[in-house]
Amino acid sequence: MNGKEERRGLAVLGSTGSIGTQALEVAAAHPDRLRVVALTAHTNVELLEEQARLHRPVLVGMVSPGAAAELRTRLAGTGIEVMAGTECLVEAAAYPLSDIVLNGVVGSAGLPPTLAALGAGKRLALANKESMVAGGELVLEALAAGGELIPVDSEHGAIFHCLRGEDLGEVETLVLTASGGPFYGRGRDELAGVTVEDALAHPTWNMGRKITIDSATLMNKGLEVIEAHYLFGMPYDAIRVVAHPQSVVHSLVEFRDGSMSAQLSLPDMRLPISLALSYPERWGPPFQRTELAALGGLTFGEIDRDAFGCLDLAYRAGREGGLATAVLNAANEVAVAAFLEGSIGFLDIERIIGDTLERYEPGRARSLDDVLRAEEWARAAAAETAGEVSGFA
Amino acid sequence: MNGKEERRGLAVLGSTGSIGTQALEVAAAHPDRLRVVALTAHTNVELLEEQARLHRPVLVGMVSPGAAAELRTRLAGTGIEVMAGTECLVEAAAYPLSDIVLNGVVGSAGLPPTLAALGAGKRLALANKESMVAGGELVLEALAAGGELIPVDSEHGAIFHCLRGEDLGEVETLVLTASGGPFYGRGRDELAGVTVEDALAHPTWNMGRKITIDSATLMNKGLEVIEAHYLFGMPYDAIRVVAHPQSVVHSLVEFRDGSMSAQLSLPDMRLPISLALSYPERWGPPFQRTELAALGGLTFGEIDRDAFGCLDLAYRAGREGGLATAVLNAANEVAVAAFLEGSIGFLDIERIIGDTLERYEPGRARSLDDVLRAEEWARAAAAETAGEVSGFA
């Protein structure tokens, strides 16, 4: 690291999570291109200290005040500023030294820093799909005013790249591929009794716990459908999901002439992260090279929408628009947490979200406060249903 | 057809062949975009008459003078001009009313009209890969001076589209997919006794006889490697061939970051033809829609280069450069014709080409005459070897 001017300042929000640690691997591989200027995490003091000592950011933040206090002690004398509390996310997102903000926060807590990064004119490398789901209209509004948004997840990253040099008006369908998660091929009856351990055993991607459960229920794909709607301005009827258990074709675009474009690579999040950070360039060498002849074969299948009801709930909320997707997302966060705690069953996740959506009264997302209020209501409603469900269990 | 000004004039060379007839299907599907102004064929009077009456071009030509005389009689009173002899190809290619020239001629006879179309500043939609193989350097020279070249075959069309909006400097490898032809998976021993009928039974593509045999020997893929070298300016080491029996992924581009882009569709030549004619637009509706979930699975494999020696011969000639690829191509044309006549065996095709390349003395392609002389020599040399081989058979 020699302070070359062409290096771009990088802030990583959620740096101790799965996306965050891999983003730092990408940064470490390209010290001539990127300089880590800010890092934030929730509670993992140990790892954040290690990352801070390695990457020497100017600012670090911990959402948990207790963890921040401990980190401040540990980093004494390094000259690194330590911030405490949720505000650190927004602070790091708008930090003057950063050019690129990688938002790897989990859940809709990612929305305020998403808005802050765009408001400050940064490139937002967005892994936090919940911020798009909870506040898609607000994000688009912020984006229209400034900044740049490049999706980091493999599906939207693939579509983003398939659309390079293309005219959006000639796109017929966006096709999101879904690994199908650990339960692909199982019927609804077989899903009732699955355990937390079963659901955490994802066949192709190694991810955080919340997103792994979302992947098992296919809510993850539902959130991605909503994200695609906002990111690419496509109607829900033009966004399809197809099962692809090998996770090599990361998504496709179908054009009006029937031609399809696809992006392929072995499942490794460092590639979509690198693509978002390097765009419009591409950085080598690759983290992994995909040998087509060594792949066992690529298959595609229909999703069993009866078994995996979360996908249709997402389409329903998406088509309803307004705050419905924020409600969907908040109810899902509560339900997944309850499932991870062991207090509800796997299919209860879908029931709780469906019940919450039923009870919700439509409203528009005019401000961040509107979103936060809708989420608060949805969390309470979902928690209530979860309590009833677990009481009955 | 109402003479709208935005319609582009289309000349189809080789209009009665497989590519030609499909190009006319594309034109018929888009009468508001294209107006057929010239058609040429070799000897098929009946079909050319039918096409002429349907599409009402201003000019038609037949390479065979006898056929031209008959066509002239048949088209008397239509006002359509009928030309005779090889010159009709060049005439139609440079015809003032045409904007786009689709070159669907078979064999290196396609080279003069390729040069003529570029020389006249047309868009050349090139299905005749032999003209690129025989005279690649001359074609590039002509292209540098004017005109536009868009490949029509499915592989180069796929790569062309994968490269839209991309920087060629960031491309690591071009990966041409090969169906493998009817003999994919067979060892060399099993190829010795195959019949003409076996070789003409292509599993995925319905094409002309010459290209179908080239597909069985994999020389077709060899010619495509050479074409890709010239079209995209990539060194031979950066052009790979991978077997893909389903012919759905039409080719791929691997970038320096390890990401791969691919173009997919059911095997149907009307799509790459349409892509070349419509570029940079895309025209709908599709001739066929690709339902991923209905595909049986996509597989990739290594080519058995011992069994299919023509591929290595093509790489060898390509790396040698100059007139070597013209010699390769001419020897292949002679050998394939001899195989189709039943006078030599399947593996003799490769032997005759290899022998001709051995005997050839390197030279540069400075002019069309150089190419024609090299081809003449190669045809004589290959015919000699073919005569010896069939004498021994």
Side-chain angles (χ1 to χ4, degrees):
Chain A
M1 307 222 190
N2 55 15
K4 273 192 216 158
E5 289 195 27
E6 68 265 35
R7 290 202 298 162
R8 307 188 73 189
L10 175 68
V12 180
L13 315 185
S15 70
T16 59
S18 170
I19 294 291
T21 51
Q22 293 181 82
L24 289 176
E25 273 189 70
V26 174
H30 301 287
D32 52 328
R33 313 276 198 165
L34 294 171
R35 178 182 166 224
V36 176
V37 297
L39 297 172
T40 77
H42 202 253
T43 50
N44 192 337
V45 178
E46 207 140 311
L47 183 52
L48 192 55
E49 181 194 359
E50 193 186 298
Q51 292 176 339
R53 290 191 180 277
L54 182 64
H55 292 279
R56 310 301 295 187
V58 188
L59 174 78
V60 297
M62 300 220 75
V63 173
S64 148
E70 194 191 328
L71 186 65
R72 199 169 283 129
T73 311
R74 291 192 185 204
L75 289 179
T78 60
I80 299 171
E81 186 188 347
V82 180
M83 275 197 70
T86 316
E87 314 85 77
C88 76
L89 296 175
V90 165
E91 191 74 20
Y95 197 59
L97 283 177
S98 75
D99 303 293
I100 307 176
V101 176
L102 186 129
N103 185 345
V105 169
V106 176
S108 65
L111 177 56
T114 281
L115 298 174
L118 293 174
K122 313 289 189 191
R123 166 178 295 185
L124 173 66
L126 184 64
N128 172 260
K129 64 194 73 165
E130 293 93 336
S131 64
M132 206 66 173
V133 173
E137 290 172 26
L138 301 176
V139 175
L140 291 188
E141 232 170 70
L143 184 60
E148 183 188 17
L149 198 169
I150 303 191
V152 160
D153 55 342
S154 59
E155 292 81 359
H156 301 90
I159 290 173
F160 183 84
H161 279 274
C162 288
L163 292 176
R164 276 175 95 152
E166 300 284 354
D167 176 354
L168 254 183
E170 295 184 331
V171 172
E172 188 82 20
T173 324
L174 306 180
V175 184
L176 295 168
T177 53
S179 70
F183 306 138
Y184 178 58
R186 296 205 199 177
R188 194 169 182 87
D189 293 351
E190 299 166 279
L191 293 177
V194 301
T195 66
V196 172
E197 205 177 18
D198 295 337
L200 285 175
H202 196 278
T204 51
W205 290 104
N206 182 11
M207 306 175 291
R209 285 161 64 89
K210 195 262 179 181
I211 191 175
T212 303
I213 301 301
D214 285 346
S215 193
T217 61
L218 291 200
M219 180 54 94
N220 190 43
K221 214 46 56 176
L223 301 180
E224 288 173 8
V225 167
I226 297 166
E227 190 184 1
H229 165 78
Y230 285 117
L231 277 176
F232 304 112
M234 293 292 285
Y236 285 99
D237 288 342
I239 304 172
R240 289 174 51 205
V241 176
V242 64
H244 170 51
Q246 298 82 24
S247 300
V248 168
V249 177
H250 295 305
S251 277
L252 307 95
V253 173
E254 184 190 16
F255 295 95
R256 62 194 299 248
D257 54 14
S259 178
M260 302 184 98
S261 290
Q263 189 259 330
L264 293 81
S265 55
L266 291 176
D268 183 334
M269 279 307 297
R270 291 172 298 183
L271 176 57
I273 292 169
S274 170
L275 281 164
L277 301 182
S278 69
Y279 180 84
E281 288 175 48
R282 294 170 176 276
W283 295 336
F287 289 96
Q288 283 196 74
R289 186 158 249 140
T290 306
E291 285 299 336
L292 291 170
L295 298 174
L298 306 177
T299 59
F300 301 91
E302 300 289 354
I303 301 285
D304 178 351
R305 296 174 92 121
D306 286 329
F308 298 93
C310 281
L311 188 55
D312 282 348
L313 290 175
Y315 271 99
R316 204 176 93 195
R319 288 194 171 102
E320 192 166 323
L323 291 162
T325 54
V327 166
L328 172 95
N329 183 60
N332 181 54
E333 288 183 19
V334 169
V336 169
F339 175 70
L340 282 169
E341 276 167 14
S343 62
I344 63 169
F346 186 75
L347 288 178
D348 293 327
I349 297 174
E350 172 190 329
R351 255 175 239 134
I352 289 165
I353 302 164
D355 176 79
T356 310
L357 277 176
E358 285 297 335
R359 290 162 61 193
Y360 144 80
E361 297 190 10
R364 278 204 54 204
R366 281 181 211 84
S367 69
L368 184 54
D369 275 348
D370 288 344
V371 173
L372 297 177
R373 264 194 303 271
E375 288 187 325
E376 199 179 336
W377 175 86
R379 286 204 183 90
E384 194 182 303
T385 314
E388 285 164 19
V389 168
S390 71
F392 284 115
Chain B
M1 306 222 191
N2 54 15
K4 271 191 215 157
E5 288 195 29
E6 68 264 35
R7 291 201 297 162
R8 308 188 73 190
L10 174 67
V12 180
L13 314 185
S15 69
T16 59
S18 170
I19 294 291
T21 52
Q22 294 181 82
L24 289 176
E25 274 190 69
V26 174
H30 301 287
D32 52 328
R33 315 276 198 163
L34 293 172
R35 179 184 164 221
V36 177
V37 297
L39 297 172
T40 78
H42 203 253
T43 50
N44 192 337
V45 177
E46 206 140 312
L47 184 52
L48 192 56
E49 182 194 359
E50 191 186 301
Q51 293 176 339
R53 292 192 180 275
L54 183 65
H55 294 279
R56 311 299 296 188
V58 187
L59 175 77
V60 297
M62 301 221 74
V63 173
S64 148
E70 194 191 328
L71 186 66
R72 200 168 282 129
T73 310
R74 292 194 185 203
L75 289 180
T78 60
I80 299 171
E81 186 188 348
V82 180
M83 275 196 70
T86 317
E87 314 84 77
C88 76
L89 296 174
V90 165
E91 191 74 19
Y95 197 58
L97 283 178
S98 77
D99 303 293
I100 306 176
V101 176
L102 186 128
N103 186 345
V105 169
V106 175
S108 64
L111 177 56
T114 281
L115 297 175
L118 294 174
K122 313 287 189 193
R123 166 177 295 186
L124 174 66
L126 185 63
N128 173 260
K129 64 195 73 163
E130 293 94 335
S131 65
M132 206 66 173
V133 173
E137 289 171 28
L138 301 176
V139 176
L140 291 188
E141 233 169 68
L143 184 60
E148 184 188 15
L149 198 170
I150 303 192
V152 159
D153 55 343
S154 60
E155 293 80 0
H156 301 90
I159 289 173
F160 183 83
H161 280 273
C162 289
L163 292 175
R164 276 175 94 152
E166 300 283 354
D167 176 353
L168 253 183
E170 295 184 332
V171 172
E172 188 81 19
T173 324
L174 306 180
V175 184
L176 295 168
T177 53
S179 69
F183 306 137
Y184 178 58
R186 297 204 198 178
R188 193 168 183 86
D189 293 351
E190 299 165 278
L191 291 178
V194 300
T195 66
V196 172
E197 206 178 16
D198 296 336
L200 284 176
H202 196 278
T204 51
W205 290 105
N206 182 11
M207 306 175 291
R209 285 161 64 89
K210 196 264 179 178
I211 192 175
T212 303
I213 301 302
D214 285 347
S215 193
T217 62
L218 291 200
M219 179 55 93
N220 189 43
K221 214 46 59 176
L223 302 181
E224 288 174 7
V225 167
I226 296 166
E227 189 185 1
H229 166 78
Y230 285 117
L231 277 177
F232 305 111
M234 293 292 285
Y236 286 98
D237 289 344
I239 304 172
R240 289 174 52 205
V241 176
V242 65
H244 171 52
Q246 299 82 23
S247 301
V248 169
V249 177
H250 296 303
S251 277
L252 308 95
V253 172
E254 184 190 19
F255 295 95
R256 63 195 300 248
D257 53 15
S259 179
M260 301 184 100
S261 291
Q263 188 259 329
L264 292 80
S265 54
L266 291 177
D268 183 335
M269 279 308 297
R270 292 172 297 182
L271 177 58
I273 291 169
S274 169
L275 281 164
L277 300 182
S278 69
Y279 181 82
E281 288 174 48
R282 295 170 176 276
W283 297 336
F287 289 96
Q288 284 196 73
R289 187 157 249 138
T290 307
E291 285 300 336
L292 291 170
L295 298 174
L298 306 177
T299 59
F300 301 91
E302 300 288 354
I303 301 287
D304 178 351
R305 297 174 91 121
D306 285 331
F308 298 93
C310 282
L311 188 56
D312 282 349
L313 289 176
Y315 272 99
R316 205 175 93 196
R319 289 193 169 102
E320 191 166 322
L323 291 163
T325 54
V327 167
L328 171 94
N329 183 59
N332 181 54
E333 288 182 19
V334 168
V336 169
F339 175 71
L340 282 169
E341 277 166 14
S343 62
I344 63 168
F346 186 76
L347 288 177
D348 293 328
I349 297 173
E350 172 191 327
R351 254 174 241 133
I352 289 167
I353 303 165
D355 176 78
T356 310
L357 277 174
E358 284 296 335
R359 291 159 63 192
Y360 144 80
E361 296 190 10
R364 278 204 53 203
R366 281 181 211 84
S367 69
L368 184 54
D369 275 349
D370 289 344
V371 172
L372 297 178
R373 264 194 302 272
E375 288 187 323
E376 199 180 337
W377 174 87
R379 285 204 182 92
E384 194 182 304
T385 313
E388 285 165 19
V389 167
S390 71
F392 283 115

